[in-house]
């Protein structure tokens, strides 16, 4: 597993988007863990949570990655998001 400490500041926020795939997945898992399973979120709520946990001002990239790596899903029109309830090993 990737050591996230090199990507975190003293407030445990992500400071840089990793270049290596393994590290990206670890960062996305870290952000995904900030969401509650079984709860529906608006896009605005998702963006606000993401903004609390990173410093490089690109919630679009993180939100898209949460969807691409299937940690979260959304309605077709993007009005509603939810955390996927799957056990992951990678």
């Amino acid at each position: 597993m990737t050591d996230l400490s090199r990507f975190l500041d003293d407030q445990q926020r992500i400071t840089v988007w990793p270049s290596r795939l393994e590290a990206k997945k670890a960062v996305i898992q870290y952000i995904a863990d900030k969401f509650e399973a079984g709860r529906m979120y608006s896009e605005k709520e998702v963006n606000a949570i993401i903004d609390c946990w990173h410093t490089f001002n690109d919630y679009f990239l993180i939100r898209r990655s949460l969807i691409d790596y299937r940690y979260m899903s959304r309605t077709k029109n993007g009005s509603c998001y939810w955390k996927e309830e799957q056990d992951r090993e990678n």
Side-chain angles (χ1 to χ4, degrees):
M1 179 108 200
T2 300
D3 177 19
L4 284 180
S5 63
R6 63 188 168 144
F7 301 108
L8 300 175
D9 67 9
D10 59 348
Q11 295 177 327
Q12 303 304 298
R13 298 175 299 177
I14 302 296
T15 59
V16 64
W17 185 246
S19 58
R20 289 181 40 238
L21 180 59
E22 180 181 328
K24 284 179 187 176
K25 287 181 179 180
V27 164
I28 293 303
Q29 172 69 58
Y30 179 77
I31 298 291
D33 289 345
K34 309 307 177 193
F35 292 89
E36 297 175 38
R39 179 175 169 204
M40 302 300 252
Y41 295 90
S42 69
E43 183 175 292
K44 186 176 181 178
E45 290 172 312
V46 171
N47 294 344
I49 291 168
I50 291 170
D51 273 345
C52 288
W53 292 102
H54 85 293
T55 63
F56 55 92
N57 198 28
D58 196 346
Y59 62 84
F60 301 105
L61 173 67
I62 296 173
R63 189 180 67 218
R64 170 57 33 210
S65 296
L66 286 165
I67 300 298
D68 288 347
Y69 291 112
R70 300 178 192 252
Y71 287 99
M72 294 189 81
S73 292
R74 67 180 188 162
T75 57
K76 194 170 189 170
N77 68 2
S79 65
C80 191
Y81 291 74
W82 61 92
K83 182 177 179 179
E84 289 294 333
E85 299 183 43
Q86 299 176 359
D87 291 330
R88 295 185 177 273
E89 294 185 20
N90 52 3

